[in-house]
Amino acid sequence: MELLLLAIAPIFIIILYVYFKDKYDKEPKGLLLACFLLGAVGSIIITTIIYLGLDIVLPLKDKFSVPQQFVKAFLVVGLTEEFSKYIIVRFFAQPKKAFDEPFDGIMYAVMVSMGFAATENILYVLEGGYITGILRAFTAVPAHATFGILMGYFMGKAKFSNNRIKLNLLGLLLAVTFHGFYDFFLFIDFIPGIWTGAFISLILGIILSHKAIKKHQENSHFKPEDT
């Protein structure tokens, strides 16, 4: 039970943080929960199916090959996982009437991402124990949050733009890029010190996520006019 709490605590801390950043028009709790559950179950299922297919057509067996680990980080892991989240936001959340301001892209993408991260984190922490749980609370979990925020920023803009396809795909591309770099530096940790690149990527993602949240707060349709 303690391990389970350790696994889910950082998930809900991040969810509450982003939820309270949505200052002007809170989203329906039922819809947020649905996105979380779709991320926790649906995106995991989609990811697993794609993983199994890619393992057949694109087997990557040499864990000490930098090119193979690059392909694994960006294509096998980054693109697969972010795509599985993207399609839930794109085809379930984005069309909803409640998705009525750009910040909602961030809110719903974070819910899907945190659902995915919750399932993943529970599995890793139950297997790896307390140290794994503590490390992931400050690394993998916030990393998934930044991927969601960066994707959601552009998907929020897309909802109210004539360039919806371009902006949606830009959000997906940005999430895949940050996810890919984060994992790539961890996958090639056989090179001494290279793992620090993952933390640099994470810090940059956090900085950009903060700016994305602030930008959509400022541009909210529901923000009271200054008097």
Side-chain angles (χ1 to χ4, degrees), residues 22-219:
D22 188 5
K23 294 182 178 181
Y24 307 113
D25 184 52
K26 298 293 188 187
E27 301 312 295
K29 292 182 176 63
L31 186 52
L32 293 177
L33 178 60
C35 286
F36 180 86
L37 293 176
L38 284 171
V41 179
S43 61
I44 291 290
I45 292 173
I46 295 168
T47 296
T48 302
I49 293 171
I50 298 175
Y51 275 168
L52 293 174
L54 285 176
D55 191 51
I56 295 172
V57 301
L58 191 65
L60 302 173
K61 303 301 183 183
D62 187 357
K63 66 179 182 179
F64 296 107
S65 168
V66 172
Q68 284 195 22
Q69 294 307 310
F70 183 88
V71 172
K72 179 182 177 181
F74 283 88
L75 179 59
V76 177
V77 179
L79 179 58
T80 298
E81 292 187 6
E82 297 310 318
F83 176 75
S84 73
K85 303 171 192 174
Y86 168 84
I87 59 174
I88 293 172
V89 180
R90 172 64 186 87
F91 295 105
F92 177 76
Q94 199 178 55
K96 300 296 185 188
K97 186 177 179 180
F99 195 129
D100 54 7
E101 65 168 327
F103 191 93
D104 294 348
I106 291 176
M107 190 72 252
Y108 290 118
V110 165
M111 293 304 296
V112 174
S113 292
M114 289 297 93
F116 182 96
T119 300
E120 182 184 71
N121 212 41
I122 289 170
L123 294 174
Y124 275 108
V125 173
L126 291 181
E127 180 181 352
Y130 290 99
I131 299 299
T132 297
I134 294 170
L135 287 175
R136 288 182 60 84
F138 294 97
T139 54
V141 174
H144 275 291
T146 64
F147 308 151
I149 291 170
L150 296 175
M151 180 191 293
Y153 172 80
F154 284 100
M155 296 190 77
K157 292 183 67 174
K159 176 68 181 276
F160 308 96
S161 170
N162 293 325
N163 296 317
R164 180 175 293 189
I165 295 175
K166 179 180 177 181
L167 288 170
N168 276 331
L169 292 179
L170 183 58
L172 173 60
L173 176 62
L174 192 59
V176 171
T177 299
F178 271 86
H179 196 151
F181 275 116
Y182 177 81
D183 280 351
F184 177 59
F185 289 118
L186 295 178
F187 290 167
I188 59 170
D189 62 353
F190 51 85
I191 301 176
I194 198 70
W195 56 268
T196 56
F199 289 94
I200 294 172
S201 174
L202 175 58
I203 291 169
L204 180 58
I206 291 172
I207 293 171
L208 292 178
S209 295
H210 175 74
K211 291 183 177 180
I213 288 172
K214 186 174 181 181
K215 186 73 171 177
H216 275 345
Q217 284 177 332
E218 293 172 349
N219 294 333

